[in-house]
Amino acid sequence: VKASLFCPGSDLPGNKGYERKEAYKILTAHGERLATEDSFLRISISATAADSILQADGNKKELKHVHCLQLTSRATDRQDDHDTGSDAPIIETIAINEPNMSHKTAILAIIDKVKAFRPGLVDTVTAVGHRVVHGGDKFSESIVVTDHVLREIQSVSHLAPLHNPSNLEGIRIARDLFSEKVPNVAVFDTAFHASMPRFAYTYPLPKEYSEHGIRKYGFHGTSVKYVSQVTTHILKEMNKDASRMIIAHLGNGASVTAVVDGKGVDTSMEFTPLSGLMMGTRSGTIDPSIVTYASQQMGKTPAQVISDLNKLSGLYGITGGDNDMRIITERASNGDGDALLAIEMFVYTLSKYIAGFLVSCGGSIDALVFTAGIGEHSPLIRKLTIKKLSKLLGDMIVDKERNDNNGKFSGGIISASNSSCLAMVVPTDEEVMICKECEEFILHH
């Protein structure tokens, strides 16, 4: 469950020609593996200004986002990266480990922490933002949740059965906990990809299929939107072009997205989160005939085969039970054949998608960006991938020291200084993007 709460605070002084909007007290929370023995909840609290400013332009004032403010614990390691002279926000991070924690328990824990942080703060909440994985073809942007919106999200939940039901549960709980005057804003992972051209999202199937909503949607959009904005800011600060990039979101779920002028033009994860790259427990794209063939030959129902493709395949299937790239890398270093094969397959499939999306970007790109768990923390996967793509990416070469440090001391850049196309590591932060979407809604509505 991912939910973001933020409340109005005190005014901050203007700075160097910029007039700050009022400060915000912001809370972000990230719960993982809820309702299992390994339930985990991370809560981060900030009482600093949001990262938007009002910039005077004659008599007109236009909202501009000048940088992306990290609101997780890693923010304490970095400075505010636009020139206002302020330090990075002070963050309090709380971790809660409780076996079989339900979504309601997690959200109530968040509320309790808000109450403990400052008495009366909950009563001043102005919005609750929710991540929703699949919006189908019904939602192309964030929207305030109504009973009708809930029904519409429910109607497409079969397209993301591992995600949407939990997203809906979180929304219903928050609506019960907060006043009707507090809007709940649904932020869709699929929304960023709504800009894909028709020829990219349409499947070569009879028209009746599209009438049932069968098309490419794309996922990880909240993450990709955030990373693309941060990457654009970094490149412009370096006086480099930032119009074309490929973003590889590599975690237990993984996808590659081609971004041109800030808009998604193609992506690897298509109709459901099962398609595309080889993933932690998901197969990625395979010949669809395998489903019926396996059903006939192995005595399984189609639903059982699909379940195997979602939960027992990918890295997990090839290694015989491991889907953590850190463990697989360690096994491979000790000569484990299954682990070596899994890494080779993962890198090969990833490289193929990146190479194909060069076409979507017009033949060349300004940056190849790695993000999410594997993307941010696996120098080996990045090195092997870039090596396969080097000739296609202007003789891109990995700088070993930069790559080994995950770009931490080189502004996120991990390629050698003479590389015409940059390779980068940009940490994602979906919670911040949800905050930004809520902020946009409040400012405009």
Side-chain angles (χ1 to χ4, degrees):
V1 63
K2 294 173 184 280
S4 306
L5 319 179
F6 66 113
C7 314
S10 58
D11 288 340
L12 292 182
N15 210 338
K16 296 189 178 181
Y18 295 110
E19 179 188 340
R20 280 277 188 181
K21 279 295 288 182
E22 58 184 314
Y24 290 95
K25 301 174 184 69
I26 302 174
L27 177 145
T28 62
H30 180 189
E32 291 184 0
R33 298 181 291 279
L34 297 181
T36 73
E37 288 293 323
D38 300 318
S39 299
F40 174 80
L41 178 66
R42 185 188 73 232
I43 303 174
S44 299
I45 300 174
S46 172
T48 64
D51 68 330
S52 63
I53 61 170
L54 288 179
Q55 183 176 27
D57 181 13
N59 294 322
K60 178 183 177 182
K61 290 184 177 180
E62 181 183 3
L63 178 71
K64 293 183 180 296
H65 291 286
V66 294
H67 78 296
C68 293
L69 188 65
Q70 299 278 6
L71 292 179
T72 61
S73 57
R74 58 177 171 265
T76 57
D77 295 327
R78 66 180 257 173
Q79 296 295 305
D80 191 345
D81 58 7
H82 78 287
D83 188 19
T84 64
S86 63
D87 291 331
I90 299 174
I91 301 296
E92 177 187 356
T93 299
I94 305 158
I96 302 173
N97 294 281
E98 179 182 317
N100 299 309
M101 187 189 312
S102 68
H103 289 81
K104 186 171 185 178
T105 300
I107 292 174
L108 288 173
I110 295 170
I111 302 303
D112 287 343
K113 292 302 177 185
V114 176
K115 290 178 178 178
F117 175 66
R118 184 165 299 173
L121 189 58
V122 169
D123 298 328
T124 67
V125 168
T126 54
V128 183
H130 301 266
R131 178 196 184 203
V132 179
V133 167
H134 211 311
D137 57 3
K138 300 178 183 295
F139 302 103
S140 59
E141 60 184 3
S142 300
I143 190 170
V144 65
V145 176
T146 63
D147 290 341
H148 173 71
V149 169
L150 271 178
R151 288 192 295 271
E152 292 288 85
I153 296 173
Q154 181 67 54
S155 72
V156 298
S157 289
H158 62 285
L159 300 177
L162 302 181
H163 302 86
N164 269 31
S166 298
N167 303 153
L168 284 167
E169 185 178 357
I171 293 173
R172 292 189 181 104
I173 293 168
R175 292 183 85 198
D176 289 340
L177 289 173
F178 290 94
S179 161
E180 292 183 359
K181 296 180 181 179
V182 178
N184 282 263
V185 181
V187 181
F188 298 94
D189 267 11
T190 48
F192 180 76
H193 304 290
S195 54
M196 283 191 294
R198 187 177 180 184
F199 63 79
Y201 70 70
T202 302
Y203 288 126
L205 298 171
K207 286 190 176 181
E208 63 180 301
Y209 284 76
S210 63
E211 294 169 1
H212 288 272
I214 298 175
R215 49 157 288 183
K216 181 188 293 188
Y217 290 104
F219 300 90
H220 294 139
T222 307
S223 169
V224 173
K225 184 175 182 178
Y226 174 84
V227 171
S228 67
Q229 289 184 3
V230 174
T231 302
T232 297
H233 174 73
I234 293 172
L235 294 181
K236 286 186 175 181
E237 287 287 299
M238 298 170 63
N239 293 318
K240 290 184 177 292
D241 196 357
S243 59
R244 297 169 296 177
M245 63 186 75
I246 292 175
I247 297 174
H249 176 110
L250 308 177
N252 192 52
S255 66
V256 175
T257 301
V259 180
V260 176
D261 296 328
K263 297 183 180 297
V265 295
D266 207 348
T267 190
S268 61
M269 199 177 270
E270 302 185 355
F271 178 59
T272 72
L274 176 59
S275 58
L277 303 176
M278 176 184 183
M279 294 174 252
T281 64
R282 285 171 255 173
S283 64
T285 297
I286 61 170
D287 187 329
S289 298
I290 290 174
V291 176
T292 54
Y293 180 83
S295 296
Q296 295 166 358
Q297 297 294 317
M298 301 170 67
K300 296 190 175 190
T301 66
Q304 288 173 325
V305 176
I306 294 296
S307 178
D308 288 347
L309 297 181
N310 267 303
K311 300 177 181 180
L312 301 176
S313 301
L315 295 171
Y316 185 93
I318 298 301
T319 61
D322 281 323
N323 64 317
D324 188 322
M325 186 59 78
R326 292 166 296 186
I327 296 173
I328 296 170
T329 299
E330 183 178 356
R331 284 176 54 180
S333 67
N334 293 322
D336 186 298
D338 289 340
L340 288 165
L341 176 61
I343 290 174
E344 191 171 19
M345 291 173 64
F346 186 88
V347 169
Y348 178 66
T349 306
L350 172 60
S351 301
K352 280 203 306 180
Y353 269 99
I354 294 171
F357 284 167
L358 287 172
V359 175
S360 306
C361 291
S364 64
I365 56 174
D366 304 306
L368 171 61
V369 189
F370 296 90
T371 192
I374 298 172
E376 295 173 25
H377 301 292
S378 178
L380 176 65
I381 295 299
R382 295 192 300 261
K383 180 184 73 172
L384 294 176
T385 302
I386 292 171
K387 184 178 180 180
K388 280 191 176 296
L389 294 164
S390 178
K391 295 297 182 183
L392 292 175
L393 297 177
D395 292 322
M396 179 189 287
I397 300 173
V398 172
D399 182 292
K400 185 179 185 307
E401 182 177 356
R402 290 176 173 181
N403 187 46
D404 287 347
N405 289 314
N406 299 320
K408 185 176 181 180
F409 307 113
S410 51
I413 297 171
I414 59 171
S415 51
S417 300
N418 59 348
S419 297
S420 57
C421 171
L422 298 181
M424 303 177 66
V425 174
V426 176
T428 189
D429 205 323
E430 292 167 304
E431 289 90 341
V432 165
M433 201 69 243
I434 292 170
C435 274
K436 290 164 74 71
E437 292 289 317
C438 283
E439 181 188 18
E440 291 281 354
F441 175 83
I442 287 177
L443 289 175
H444 290 100
H445 296 80

